[in-house]
Amino acid sequence: MVKSGKLRAGTGSKLKRWKKGHSSDSNPQTSRFREAAKSRFFSRPTGKSDLTVDALKLHNDLQAGPLELGGRKDACMEEEPEEVFSERTSGTFLSGLSDCSNLTFRKVQRYWESNSASHKEICAVLAAVTEVIRSQGGKETETEYFAALMTTLEVVDSAESQAAVGYLLNLVMKRVPTPVLMSKFSDTTKALMDVMSKQAMFETSSALRWILSCLATLLRKQDASVWTYPSTLQAYHGLLSFTVHSKPKVRKAAQQGVCSILRGSDFLFTDNAPTHHPAAATTAKFCMKEMEQARGSKEDTTTLHVLGLLKELMGTFPLGAVKSCCETLLRVMTLSHVLVTASAMQAFHRLFSGKPNASNLSPELTAQIITALYDYLPSETDLQPLLAWLAVMEKAHVYLASLQSSLSLGHLPRLFSAAMSCLLSPHTQVVAAATNTLKTLITECVAPRMEAMGMITATASAGNPSYVCKMFRIVEEGLSYRFHASWPFVLQILGCFYRAAGKQAHPLMTKSLQSLADLRSTPHFPFSGELDLAVGGAVESMGPEVVLSAVPLNITGYEDDLEFPRSWLVPVIRDHVKNTHLGFFSSYFLPLASTLKQRAEELDQVGQKLEARVYKTLQMQIWTMLPGFCTCPVDLLASFKGIARTLGMVINERPDLRLTVCQALRTIVNKSASTEEEKVEVGRFSKNFLPILFNVYGQQPAAGEAGTYRMAVLDTIKVYLTVSDTQMICTFLQKATDRLNSTDATEFTRLSMMDLVIAMAPSVDEGTMTKTFELIKPYLEFFQTKQPGMQKKAYRVLEELCGGEREECRSFVVANLETLKVVLLETLKNASSPAKRPRLKCLIHIVKGLDEEHKDFITMLLPEVIICTKEVSVGARKNAYSLLVEMGNAFVRFCGNTKDAIEEYFVLVYAGLTSSVTMITCTVLALTRLVFEYKDAIDVTTMKELLHNVCLLLTSRTREIVKAALGFIKVLLFIMEPKTLTSHATVMMEGVGNIKDDVRRHFRTKLKNIFTKFIRKFGFELVKSMLPVEHHKVLANIRKAEARTKRKRQASEQQNDSDSEAEEPKAKSQSIEDILAETDSDMSEDEGQPRNAQKKGAQPRKARAWLKEGEEDDPLNFLDPKVSQRVLATNPAKKSAKVEHGFKVTSDGRLIIREDDEEDAKHDDEEDKKDILEEAGVKSRSQKRKFQDHNSDEDMDVQPQQKYKAGGSGIHRPIAGREDMGADYKSRKGKGDVMKKGKHDPYAYIPLKKAQLNRRKRAKLQGQFKGMVRGAQKGALSGKKMQKKKRKA
């Protein structure tokens, strides 16, 4: 026998070997089914047989192949008339399934071709029932199906048929009207209970699960009064008994049914609904009884099943039942069975997470559960149980706080103590979980109650304040050296506590702030970042005044330690100060900054430059705190007037502080002045601030001085104008215009004044706007002013006047519309290129408000707008495209019918195709944008005509025209539906194929991109048949590239799949099911089988527990009340294997994940879409991208990207310059070498190379070696001399 191939490893033991001499037998031994069939063939059945003519017909139809639904007239449509039907086409045995009109069974119809025997049985039953209903004249309602299926359920005997009927009943009963189920309750219940009792004896459970689901639906629809009958409770108990069934599918169906009854019965959602279901207490008794009976058994599977049910239902039980269930749970947790304890924790977690009513779970009972759970505190080394315990306690305290805050606060100190001890755990997950638990408790349990407590002192001894003191002292103890490994987490908790309680409890926290300051001053303190965030939290809540009283800056300006050990507080206050007293900055920091500045000047005069610079830098840092103090200050009305004069002087006299002060002023106006009183108070000083800001902005910077502050000053002026008086602004505007028209004004002054006019123009009254418009008219003429900058700013003034949101701006446009039209048309030819952007923006604002009588004005503007699509300025091009769309919207407004309006608009645009080359190019660009915008409103005929004209332009010899036309086709390929695009494919292919050779070579990259899109939409063969021969080589290249990309993508996907299968990391989640996933084996479908497929002979894996032995000085005492902590769910001797995930890790545990090529396809699609939007003018093309596109399309000598890398010998040798030996040791500042950490000392090492063995190069190498030694000796000698000089000095 020839071996055809190598078998997979491990299959040899499973093969059956043929006996010697029997290798040619077709089926030597495995023929038991054949023998059984023979024996039955020659014997007659003794009892009543289920084989009938109908059943045989059904069997033959099922085995014939795919089920035929409806007629098959299409196969013989030409041969036979439509009226003639064969017996097969007039109706099959499943005709009732194919044309069943009830949507309830669409799930069955969707999978009618399934090969499953059970599903075929379902299809057959549904078809038969549908035919019965139709034969009796029914309308196929849910009620009729319910009645027919119930009748069928009582008749059928086989398990398969009962399963099919039960499945259909389960579907239809959910949609049967409630009154029908209520009236037929007793009969339906009796029938379902009979079937359920029969099915319980069989091994198969396919029918039982659906019958249980039907019974649950029936009970859920009943009224509350029905639950007083014993028969109802009997049926419910029958359902309840299956919740601990050994088969997982039956158990799951029963548990889901019980949950739906207790949680979702209809009467629970009425107006006078009871607080809990009448059967809730019975269910609780059943659960407790089952757990008590199963207590102490070997596997505790029944207990686990009941715990899984309790996890869903405990929140629905009455108070007494909840208390009894909790006591039972606590008792079963004493068994030290790992899975039972984990499931009980899940039940408690779900109970508290559901936040039931106080009638179900009272505050007192919650407090008792919390106290009892401390007896089950796991060991600090037991990872998963400890995480679960922390999660349960967190939810319990949060729930208790929502019911009774005082009781919750009383229990929090003990949990704080337990959680802080968890910070000593060797597991980082436990430390992180304990930290998050404490932060959550502080945020949700402590913070909301702080305001009601008032001020808390350190000597509080009773009530809620005493509890807060205890909690903070427990957290403060974390600063001791015992917790030094967890200091980053302790600092997080402290920062959270400061933010939550610092406002009321700051007397209690001053000592901890001093401890933090001492730690911060420790040399090489590793957690300075976390400490700064914690102190920042104190600054946010307490305010800088309280923090500085506890931790002074110790900076006076005289006799200071120049190291300034507390200077780290300045940036911390700067980054976190807000909602504080602005007056404190005026009273404390302003005098300090003035003293430091004065001290710096004194030291500078004495010649101590370094010390002077230190003081100057320090006072600059103090000024940077001002914007934070100006963020929502609590005393703005009282304190702003005290600091306003100082701020004005600083703006005028201190150029180095202008940016900071301007930022502070903008912050006050934008964020702090929220009420009308505050706006009036801040605006009262506009008469002081605005002239100063105007003067600063109007001063020309000195030679060599950067004028970066001018934009900040201008922004501050614009912001401050929003709270200033209108008449005052009009006065300032008049002064600015007078200075603008002054004869002795320089060009810089006129430009500065024009900027101020732009800022003030939209904030004045209508009369002043008209005067301003008359003032700027002369500047709109470029040839008259000979100043393109002034013309641009004049258009900016007009833009602000036309686009303002105030009512005065709208009135100005309406009143001066005719004048504006005349001026804008007259200045059309004289507009310079820099002025195009604001001019077009101004036209956009005007066109938005035009009506039909101004259509001629839009028509006259159209050529200018089209030409502007080729402007150099990106902003001008963007505004031109926007204006084209606004003109189209205006035509739609005028006409009413979108299609007619767009057609009329396109006719006007078409005129540009008959003009010059530049105009043709711009017109095609404009049409591209308009087609992209109005693709749904363009008629088919219009689109066909437009495409034909654009394709004619592809034959041009002008590259600009062809480039625009290719962009149009590219956009068309993106926006058109495939069906519509098919009708235009021939025209586009002919147009692309007729491009001249030199133009084709120039735009080969664009053409390749377009061909790729064509191939993706229409296929390779069709595109190849439509294009000339000279393009076939490019098409073949595209097909190869596409295939290569596809192969790479598939390979990367397979690699990712294999990696995920090999590793399968666990996703981080907050649910307790995920926390306990390692110890919970009850989540599998069948407890009899292991979770993963195992060999048949293998034993199922049991839950294991480990006993932690005592240390040398701590022997194990079984009478110790904390002995339960010695029972561990994880092996204490086993070290957790470190998972190699292939990523680098930072010092704080975060992964460093580099960008990979996984999303190449998505990236390509995004790039494609971006390219299309740029072609259509929707997005502006960036300069970098434009440069790349320019290179790829217009450079005739462009080189393909080389992927070859040199390496080897001969012609493959690398020709790039070799790296100089020892170059990384060279000093950047001076001569000689420097020592590098982690590397060898920088001595002249001689590299060992094969080439040094060459005899011909021996003399050369000897000379190099002698020179190297000579250089080393020379360097050593010079170093020796330098050392002597230093000693003498």
Side-chain angles (χ1 to χ4, degrees):
M1 178 179 171
V2 180
K3 204 170 185 180
S4 59
K6 188 176 181 181
L7 292 173
R8 201 168 44 179
T11 57
S13 60
K14 299 179 182 179
L15 295 178
K16 289 188 176 181
R17 300 294 180 184
W18 292 325
K19 292 182 179 180
K20 188 173 182 180
H22 290 270
S23 60
S24 61
D25 293 352
S26 60
N27 199 359
Q29 289 182 357
T30 54
S31 58
R32 60 190 181 94
F33 297 109
R34 196 173 304 162
E35 297 297 332
K38 286 180 183 179
S39 65
R40 294 194 62 181
F41 182 79
F42 295 105
S43 62
R44 308 298 282 173
T46 55
K48 184 179 178 182
S49 174
D50 291 334
L51 184 63
T52 61
V53 176
D54 294 335
L56 185 61
K57 183 175 181 298
L58 174 62
H59 174 76
N60 291 335
D61 287 333
L62 291 175
Q63 298 298 322
L67 301 178
E68 298 184 15
L69 295 181
R72 297 290 299 274
K73 294 189 294 182
D74 53 343
C76 55
M77 197 170 289
E78 296 180 359
E79 290 84 354
E80 295 182 10
E82 191 170 337
E83 296 85 13
V84 181
F85 295 93
S86 65
E87 182 183 358
R88 186 70 172 168
T89 56
S90 61
T92 67
F93 83 105
L94 288 184
S95 295
L97 171 65
S98 62
D99 53 1
C100 176
S101 60
N102 198 307
L103 295 178
T104 306
F105 305 107
R106 61 184 180 272
K107 186 176 180 182
V108 180
Q109 293 170 322
R110 190 182 307 151
Y111 305 108
W112 66 274
E113 279 191 323
S114 172
N115 291 325
S116 170
S118 60
H119 196 81
K120 289 179 179 179
E121 182 75 20
I122 291 171
C123 293
V125 171
L126 178 60
V129 171
T130 305
E131 289 297 329
V132 170
I133 293 174
R134 288 176 182 169
S135 65
Q136 296 179 358
K139 297 181 180 180
E140 300 184 37
T141 62
E142 285 84 2
T143 306
E144 292 171 343
Y145 274 106
F146 169 64
L149 288 170
M150 285 303 302
T151 306
T152 310
L153 184 64
E154 296 173 355
V155 174
V156 296
D157 294 328
S158 64
E160 293 79 8
S161 299
Q162 285 183 345
V165 176
Y167 175 78
L168 295 172
L169 262 177
N170 177 48
L171 291 178
V172 79
M173 282 183 69
K174 296 172 183 176
R175 302 171 69 97
V176 174
T178 303
V180 175
L181 294 179
M182 293 174 69
S183 62
K184 296 293 181 181
F185 172 65
S186 58
D187 298 335
T188 308
T189 306
K190 184 178 181 302
L192 293 177
M193 291 292 288
D194 291 342
V195 176
M196 200 164 64
S197 59
K198 292 178 183 178
Q199 286 289 328
M201 304 175 186
F202 299 151
E203 292 185 2
T204 58
S205 60
S206 55
L208 190 56
R209 57 188 291 209
W210 304 122
I211 299 300
L212 291 172
S213 181
C214 294
L215 182 60
T217 304
L218 182 66
L219 291 171
R220 187 163 54 88
K221 298 289 184 180
Q222 302 308 310
D223 198 9
S225 59
V226 178
W227 287 92
T228 58
Y229 304 147
S231 58
T232 308
L233 292 176
Q234 183 182 0
Y236 178 73
H237 275 287
L239 175 64
L240 200 58
S241 63
F242 285 97
T243 56
V244 291
H245 198 272
S246 60
K247 294 188 178 297
K249 291 184 179 179
V250 175
R251 184 173 68 251
K252 183 178 179 182
Q255 289 189 358
Q256 287 179 345
V258 171
C259 292
S260 66
I261 292 170
L262 295 189
R263 286 183 177 275
S265 293
D266 291 350
F267 65 85
L268 292 176
F269 300 97
T270 56
D271 295 334
N272 54 351
T275 55
H276 55 269
H277 197 279
T282 307
T283 309
K285 290 179 181 177
F286 169 81
C287 294
M288 289 185 288
K289 179 182 175 184
E290 290 291 332
M291 281 194 292
E292 290 292 342
Q293 289 178 352
R295 190 177 178 188
S297 61
K298 191 174 182 182
E299 287 297 326
D300 282 337
T301 52
T302 304
T303 305
L304 292 173
H305 299 335
V306 176
L307 287 173
L309 180 63
L310 277 178
K311 181 172 64 176
E312 304 292 335
L313 293 180
M314 275 185 68
T316 63
F317 293 164
L319 181 60
V322 171
K323 184 176 181 180
S324 302
C325 286
C326 290
E327 292 173 352
T328 306
L329 286 179
L330 293 172
R331 279 199 300 272
V332 298
M333 286 172 65
T334 59
L335 299 175
S336 297
H337 191 285
V338 174
L339 297 183
V340 172
T341 305
S343 298
M345 282 293 184
Q346 287 183 5
F348 279 123
H349 188 273
R350 186 66 65 89
L351 173 65
F352 297 125
S353 300
K355 294 186 177 180
N357 298 324
S359 58
N360 294 12
L361 184 60
S362 64
E364 292 76 14
L365 179 58
T366 306
Q368 291 173 7
I369 296 171
I370 289 172
T371 305
L373 283 175
Y374 282 106
D375 296 334
Y376 302 92
L377 174 63
S379 171
E380 294 173 2
T381 58
D382 210 2
L383 178 61
Q384 296 298 333
L386 187 54
L387 294 177
W389 188 86
L390 286 170
V392 171
M393 295 298 278
E394 175 190 324
K395 293 294 181 183
H397 282 80
V398 170
Y399 172 70
L400 182 58
S402 65
L403 295 180
Q404 193 170 339
S405 59
S406 59
L407 190 59
S408 168
L409 289 172
H411 282 78
L412 278 176
R414 186 176 180 184
L415 180 57
F416 267 63
S417 179
M420 285 299 293
S421 65
C422 291
L423 296 182
L424 299 172
S425 172
H427 298 289
T428 54
Q429 294 131 303
V430 172
V431 177
T435 303
N436 291 330
T437 297
L438 289 175
K439 288 163 69 176
T440 303
L441 293 174
I442 292 169
T443 306
E444 299 192 19
C445 301
V446 179
R449 280 84 191 172
M450 289 305 301
E451 194 169 349
M453 294 184 201
M455 191 59 66
I456 299 176
T457 61
T459 58
S461 58
N464 293 340
S466 65
Y467 300 140
V468 175
C469 293
K470 289 180 183 177
M471 285 185 277
F472 186 77
R473 290 195 181 101
I474 292 170
V475 174
E476 189 179 12
E477 190 182 349
L479 293 176
S480 60
Y481 189 75
R482 189 162 60 104
F483 292 86
H484 74 280
S486 302
W487 271 348
F489 300 96
V490 175
L491 292 171
Q492 288 183 34
I493 301 168
L494 270 176
C496 185
F497 220 130
Y498 287 150
R499 288 181 177 88
K503 190 174 182 180
Q504 289 81 15
H506 61 80
L508 173 68
M509 300 175 173
T510 52
K511 184 181 177 182
S512 64
L513 287 173
Q514 294 168 0
S515 302
L516 292 180
D518 295 339
L519 278 177
R520 186 66 166 76
S521 60
T522 306
H524 309 296
F525 182 67
F527 310 118
S528 56
E530 290 84 353
L531 192 146
D532 289 351
L533 288 175
V535 178
V539 171
E540 287 180 17
S541 59
M542 306 177 195
E545 187 174 1
V546 176
V547 173
L548 290 177
S549 64
V551 187
L553 270 177
N554 294 334
I555 299 174
T556 60
Y558 297 96
E559 298 180 0
D560 289 323
D561 180 7
L562 292 181
E563 293 293 332
F564 298 111
R566 295 281 175 85
S567 61
W568 58 271
L569 279 169
V570 176
V572 170
I573 295 174
R574 178 196 64 203
D575 295 338
H576 295 90
V577 64
K578 60 183 179 181
N579 301 324
T580 187
H581 292 84
L582 182 59
F584 180 67
F585 185 85
S586 304
S587 60
Y588 180 78
F589 284 110
L590 276 183
L592 180 59
S594 177
T595 304
L596 294 177
K597 180 178 179 295
Q598 184 179 354
R599 179 64 174 161
E601 291 174 352
E602 292 175 0
L603 291 172
D604 196 15
Q605 292 174 0
V606 176
Q608 298 180 0
K609 302 290 184 182
L610 182 60
E611 291 82 354
R613 182 171 295 181
V614 170
Y615 277 108
K616 185 178 180 182
T617 304
L618 199 55
Q619 64 95 21
M620 288 285 292
Q621 287 184 345
I622 289 175
W623 272 103
T624 57
M625 292 190 286
L626 178 61
F629 276 91
C630 292
T631 304
C632 304
V634 295
D635 58 342
L636 181 62
L637 293 174
S639 300
F640 185 68
K641 57 188 176 184
I643 199 175
R645 185 171 180 275
T646 306
L647 296 182
M649 292 174 60
V650 169
I651 293 173
N652 198 21
E653 301 172 1
R654 298 284 305 275
D656 55 336
L657 296 177
R658 279 174 187 161
L659 291 175
T660 302
V661 177
C662 287
Q663 181 187 354
L665 287 176
R666 292 196 301 271
T667 304
I668 285 177
V669 176
N670 289 330
K671 297 181 180 179
S672 305
S674 54
T675 63
E676 282 300 321
E677 293 180 355
E678 291 173 341
K679 289 180 180 178
V680 171
E681 176 66 21
V682 175
R684 194 162 62 89
F685 293 92
S686 58
K687 64 179 182 296
N688 306 107
F689 280 114
L690 287 176
I692 296 173
L693 293 170
F694 290 157
N695 292 334
V696 170
Y697 187 77
Q699 292 174 2
Q700 187 170 2
E705 182 183 347
T708 52
Y709 63 88
R710 297 184 76 245
M711 289 307 299
V713 171
L714 186 60
D715 289 341
T716 309
I717 291 171
K718 292 177 181 178
V719 170
Y720 218 100
L721 286 171
T722 59
V723 293
S724 301
D725 182 54
T726 305
Q727 293 302 320
M728 185 187 302
I729 299 174
C730 294
T731 306
F732 287 140
L733 182 60
Q734 183 62 42
K735 291 181 180 179
T737 53
D738 293 343
R739 193 172 177 187
L740 180 65
N741 294 326
S742 176
T743 56
D744 57 346
T746 62
E747 182 181 357
F748 177 84
T749 303
R750 282 198 294 270
L751 291 173
S752 300
M753 291 303 107
M754 192 63 90
D755 286 335
L756 297 179
V757 172
I758 294 170
M760 289 186 283
S763 302
V764 297
D765 54 27
E766 187 178 346
T768 310
M769 287 183 184
T770 307
K771 293 179 182 178
T772 307
F773 175 54
E774 295 296 333
L775 171 71
I776 65 169
K777 267 187 189 179
Y779 294 102
L780 299 176
E781 294 288 342
F782 175 66
F783 291 109
Q784 181 179 348
T785 62
K786 300 295 183 183
Q787 296 176 5
M790 290 296 293
Q791 187 189 42
K792 178 182 178 181
K793 292 187 183 298
Y795 275 113
R796 283 282 293 116
V797 175
L798 196 57
E799 177 191 341
E800 293 293 334
L801 292 175
C802 297
E805 297 180 357
R806 296 172 66 238
E807 189 62 35
E808 288 85 350
C809 296
R810 298 191 186 95
S811 303
F812 164 76
V813 174
V814 173
N816 298 276
L817 184 57
E818 295 300 326
T819 310
L820 286 169
K821 286 166 56 180
V822 172
V823 169
L824 290 171
L825 289 175
E826 286 178 352
T827 57
L828 170 61
K829 296 180 181 179
N830 299 327
S832 63
S833 182
K836 290 288 187 182
R837 189 192 64 78
R839 174 182 168 84
L840 291 170
K841 192 70 174 178
C842 181
L843 288 172
I844 290 174
H845 294 312
I846 293 174
V847 168
K848 283 182 180 179
L850 295 180
D851 49 19
E852 192 171 1
E853 62 184 20
H854 301 288
K855 186 184 289 186
D856 295 339
F857 174 65
I858 296 177
T859 307
M860 296 171 71
L861 286 176
L862 191 56
E864 178 200 2
V865 181
I866 292 176
I867 284 290
C868 286
T869 56
K870 287 286 289 181
E871 274 291 330
V872 178
S873 169
V874 176
R877 293 199 303 270
K878 184 178 178 182
N879 289 345
Y881 285 123
S882 301
L883 184 53
L884 281 170
V885 175
E886 283 301 329
M887 288 178 171
N889 294 338
F891 271 89
V892 173
R893 236 178 14 248
F894 302 158
C895 186
N897 187 354
T898 307
K899 289 192 175 182
D900 296 341
I902 296 303
E903 189 171 353
E904 181 184 357
Y905 185 36
F906 270 41
V907 170
L908 296 176
V909 180
Y910 286 158
L913 296 175
T914 60
S915 186
S916 63
V917 171
T918 306
M919 190 65 182
I920 292 173
T921 306
C922 295
T923 304
V924 175
L925 293 175
L927 287 170
T928 305
R929 178 71 176 92
L930 292 174
V931 167
F932 182 84
E933 188 70 29
Y934 300 107
K935 54 182 178 292
D936 299 325
I938 300 175
D939 191 50
V940 178
T941 310
T942 307
M943 180 62 77
K944 187 175 181 181
E945 180 184 352
L946 174 60
L947 184 59
H948 181 72
N949 291 331
V950 173
C951 289
L952 286 177
L953 294 175
L954 288 171
T955 61
S956 172
R957 292 186 178 277
T958 308
R959 292 177 179 176
E960 288 296 323
I961 296 177
V962 176
K963 183 179 180 181
L966 288 175
F968 179 86
I969 289 178
K970 198 173 180 181
V971 172
L972 215 61
L973 284 170
F974 179 75
I975 64 173
M976 268 195 173
E977 295 292 333
K979 292 182 180 178
T980 313
L981 198 61
T982 307
S983 59
H984 303 302
T986 308
V987 180
M988 288 190 285
M989 290 292 186
E990 290 178 357
V992 173
N994 292 332
I995 297 178
K996 298 292 188 283
D997 289 345
D998 59 334
V999 181
R1000 175 167 57 85
R1001 284 192 298 271
H1002 183 74
F1003 293 117
R1004 57 188 177 275
T1005 308
K1006 278 187 178 294
L1007 283 172
K1008 188 175 181 180
N1009 194 352
I1010 291 173
F1011 289 155
T1012 304
K1013 297 182 188 303
F1014 270 121
I1015 291 172
R1016 288 175 182 173
K1017 287 184 179 292
F1018 302 117
F1020 176 79
E1021 296 299 334
L1022 181 62
V1023 175
K1024 184 178 180 181
S1025 63
M1026 289 183 176
L1027 287 174
V1029 181
E1030 54 265 24
H1031 294 285
H1032 289 182
K1033 191 174 181 181
V1034 179
L1035 296 179
N1037 181 267
I1038 292 171
R1039 181 165 66 172
K1040 288 181 182 178
E1042 290 286 300
R1044 190 184 306 118
T1045 306
K1046 186 177 180 181
R1047 286 196 302 271
K1048 285 183 178 179
R1049 191 176 298 126
Q1050 289 176 351
S1052 68
E1053 289 175 359
Q1054 291 175 0
Q1055 181 67 27
N1056 292 339
D1057 292 342
S1058 62
D1059 291 345
S1060 62
E1061 288 174 4
E1063 207 164 298
E1064 290 186 2
K1066 291 187 178 179
K1068 185 178 180 181
S1069 176
Q1070 296 299 322
S1071 65
I1072 192 162
E1073 285 82 0
D1074 294 329
I1075 293 174
L1076 293 167
E1078 291 189 4
T1079 59
D1080 190 4
S1081 65
D1082 192 40
M1083 304 297 289
S1084 59
E1085 279 289 328
D1086 193 352
E1087 281 69 18
Q1089 297 292 334
R1091 185 168 299 185
N1092 299 324
Q1094 296 180 355
K1095 296 180 181 179
K1096 291 183 179 179
Q1099 293 293 328
R1101 184 181 178 183
K1102 297 180 181 179
R1104 301 178 64 187
W1106 285 266
L1107 192 64
K1108 184 181 179 182
E1109 296 290 343
E1111 303 295 337
E1112 293 180 0
D1113 299 331
D1114 184 20
L1116 181 58
N1117 182 11
F1118 285 101
L1119 299 178
D1120 188 0
K1122 293 185 178 181
V1123 72
S1124 61
Q1125 296 185 10
R1126 299 291 186 130
V1127 181
L1128 306 180
T1130 53
N1131 189 352
K1134 184 179 178 181
K1135 301 293 183 182
S1136 59
K1138 188 176 180 182
V1139 180
E1140 291 293 336
H1141 42 63
F1143 297 118
K1144 293 182 179 179
V1145 184
T1146 60
S1147 58
D1148 55 351
R1150 291 173 296 167
L1151 294 178
I1152 302 174
I1153 302 176
R1154 304 291 182 191
E1155 237 179 85
D1156 206 351
D1157 298 333
E1158 297 174 355
E1159 301 181 354
D1160 281 345
K1162 184 178 178 181
H1163 179 70
D1164 291 343
D1165 292 342
E1166 291 177 356
E1167 285 291 324
D1168 218 9
K1169 188 173 181 180
K1170 183 180 179 182
D1171 195 24
I1172 293 296
L1173 294 177
E1174 289 175 355
E1175 291 285 356
V1178 179
K1179 291 181 69 175
S1180 300
R1181 195 185 295 271
S1182 61
Q1183 294 297 323
K1184 183 178 179 182
R1185 186 178 176 84
K1186 180 179 177 183
F1187 176 74
Q1188 292 172 348
D1189 290 350
H1190 175 79
N1191 283 347
S1192 61
D1193 284 337
E1194 299 185 8
D1195 187 6
M1196 294 296 292
D1197 300 324
V1198 65
Q1199 295 291 332
Q1201 185 179 2
Q1202 294 185 357
K1203 295 184 179 179
Y1204 171 75
K1205 292 184 179 179
S1209 60
I1211 62 171
H1212 301 290
R1213 70 187 185 280
I1215 58 176
R1218 296 182 180 177
E1219 186 179 355
D1220 188 16
M1221 293 295 296
D1224 49 347
Y1225 288 106
K1226 287 185 177 179
S1227 174
R1228 296 180 181 178
K1229 298 180 180 179
K1231 295 182 179 181
D1233 295 335
V1234 292
M1235 296 180 69
K1236 293 289 182 97
K1237 187 176 181 181
K1239 291 188 176 183
H1240 297 294
D1241 292 343
Y1243 296 120
Y1245 293 101
I1246 301 175
L1248 299 177
K1249 296 180 181 178
K1250 184 180 179 182
Q1252 293 175 351
L1253 300 176
N1254 195 330
R1255 294 181 180 179
R1256 293 176 297 170
K1257 299 180 180 179
R1258 182 179 297 173
K1260 181 181 178 182
L1261 292 171
Q1262 285 177 353
Q1264 289 179 352
F1265 181 72
K1266 289 178 181 178
M1268 197 179 298
V1269 173
R1270 196 180 303 119
Q1273 291 173 347
K1274 186 178 178 181
L1277 187 60
S1278 63
K1280 192 175 180 180
K1281 291 180 180 178
M1282 289 293 293
Q1283 290 291 335
K1284 287 181 179 179
K1285 288 181 180 179
K1286 287 182 180 179
R1287 289 192 193 111
K1288 291 178 181 179

